[in-house]
Amino acid sequence: MTDLGINFVSGCLRAISTCFTRAYHSKKTAMAGCVRIRKFDVLLVLAWLTCFGHGHGLHSATSIRTQLTSDCSASDRNLRLKRETVCASLTQSPTPWCGTSWLNVSAKGDWPNQAVYLQNLLTALEASDTCLNTSYAIDTLQWLNQAQADRNISGTFMWTYLVFQVQYYDMPRKPGNRIESPATLGRKCWAFAYLRQLWNATTLERAVAGAGQSVLNFTTAYNTAVPLTMNLCEEVMANCFVNASYDPSRKGTCPLSIGTGVISLFQCPQVAVISACCNKVLDIGDFLTY
């Protein structure tokens, strides 16, 4: 519908509304006169809609609906790719919570990359141009808030975050478990720092609430994981990465091991954010005191 057409119709409707309002407040018998006086205006409106509605107004409305549908289709494709990338990274075989659709998606299965893939999905969910009211988006939110928020389901993201990765920082390591190098533990700490640095529960919850959904289980688990894992990184460095019970008196006695752990931080993905993560979350200056 053109601006001229919109103004024309709006003007006619305002005139009709004014006439009826005045008639009602003066004499109800004036209603008939009002109808007669404004009948021509009504006919003009109907004629305009008949002549131009299908060609302009209705076509524009259809175009808008088509555009919205197209945008939401693109949004769903983006969410699907990011969700399936998370699944491809976390799993090596079909699971009830990831199915098999991820089998055609390539992803790396190490912890730093798993953290990045999950954050990419969260960023997409928070984006203003993401449609969260589609059936796929709602299913993704429920998937995130149920299976992926449950640390007791082996292989899910929160199990990986709160159970599998955490056990690498046992001091000492349990009998039979592999002893990880400072470089490996440093890369894992990079992922913990990355997840903490980019985490914004308020933004995610606000976006999800707008779609009438909730991810409270997920945000609660995430808020538990951040301080737990960051503290483990601090302690394992203070313990000089040795396979022994935590002893803070070791702090400052192993600069070479600490240096190896720090260097490994710069060998992780998402180089652009490493500086911010290290300086703000792990604070490079503090490493010199270990």
Side-chain angles (χ1 to χ4, degrees):
M1 184 180 292
T2 64
D3 290 340
L4 177 61
I6 292 173
N7 291 336
F8 175 78
V9 174
S10 297
C12 288
L13 293 177
R14 280 197 301 272
I16 295 170
S17 175
T18 300
C19 182
F20 275 94
T21 300
R22 289 176 178 173
Y24 180 83
H25 288 291
S26 57
K27 293 182 179 180
K28 292 184 178 180
T29 54
M31 285 286 189
C34 181
V35 172
R36 286 196 298 272
I37 292 171
R38 296 301 178 186
K39 185 181 295 184
F40 182 67
D41 292 335
V42 175
L43 291 175
L44 282 177
V45 173
L46 293 176
W48 191 92
L49 290 174
T50 301
C51 293
F52 299 103
H54 293 287
H56 294 80
L58 297 181
H59 174 73
S60 298
T62 301
S63 298
I64 292 172
R65 285 194 298 271
T66 301
Q67 182 65 36
L68 290 175
T69 301
S70 176
D71 289 346
C72 284
S73 295
S75 171
D76 276 356
R77 286 194 298 272
N78 183 46
L79 286 181
R80 187 179 299 277
L81 176 60
K82 287 177 168 53
R83 173 175 164 178
E84 291 182 355
T85 300
V86 171
C87 283
S89 179
L90 291 174
T91 66
Q92 286 75 49
S93 59
T95 61
W97 41 270
C98 269
T100 59
S101 59
W102 55 270
L103 290 172
N104 294 322
V105 177
S106 297
K108 295 181 179 180
D110 59 89
W111 173 235
N113 276 291
Q114 290 168 340
V116 171
Y117 297 146
L118 190 280
Q119 181 57 49
N120 289 343
L121 175 61
L122 296 182
T123 299
L125 291 171
E126 295 167 2
S128 59
D129 58 349
T130 297
C131 301
L132 293 181
N133 58 348
T134 66
S135 58
Y136 185 78
I138 291 172
D139 182 73
T140 298
L141 293 174
Q142 294 172 347
W143 170 84
L144 190 69
N145 197 48
Q146 295 170 9
Q148 301 313 306
D150 194 338
R151 63 183 296 171
N152 296 313
I153 302 178
S154 178
T156 63
F157 183 82
M158 209 52 70
W159 175 87
T160 302
Y161 196 175
L162 278 169
V163 179
F164 186 70
Q165 295 303 325
V166 163
Q167 55 90 23
Y168 284 109
Y169 295 85
D170 288 339
M171 293 176 275
R173 295 281 281 150
K174 290 181 173 59
N177 286 353
R178 185 176 62 191
I179 308 302
E180 299 295 344
S181 68
T184 297
L185 293 176
R187 284 190 292 273
K188 291 181 182 298
C189 281
W190 178 91
F192 294 145
Y194 175 77
L195 289 170
R196 174 186 174 180
Q197 177 77 4
L198 300 184
W199 174 237
N200 191 326
T202 301
T203 300
L204 178 62
E205 289 171 344
R206 184 182 298 119
V208 170
Q213 300 296 313
S214 171
V215 287
L216 181 60
N217 294 338
F218 182 82
T219 57
T220 299
Y222 202 122
N223 287 333
T224 298
V226 167
L228 169 65
T229 54
M230 294 308 301
N231 183 63
L232 288 174
C233 287
E234 297 286 346
E235 289 188 353
V236 79
M237 288 188 293
N239 207 41
C240 287
F241 298 98
V242 299
N243 185 33
S245 298
Y246 174 61
D247 181 358
S249 68
R250 293 191 179 93
K251 184 175 180 179
T253 66
C254 52
L256 292 180
S257 294
I258 296 301
T260 301
V262 172
I263 290 172
S264 71
L265 290 170
F266 293 90
Q267 300 173 341
C268 291
Q270 301 290 312
V271 175
V273 302
I274 288 177
S275 177
C277 283
C278 291
N279 291 332
K280 182 177 179 181
V281 184
L282 291 179
D283 197 343
I284 286 296
D286 288 345
F287 282 118
L288 301 178
T289 66
Y290 283 93

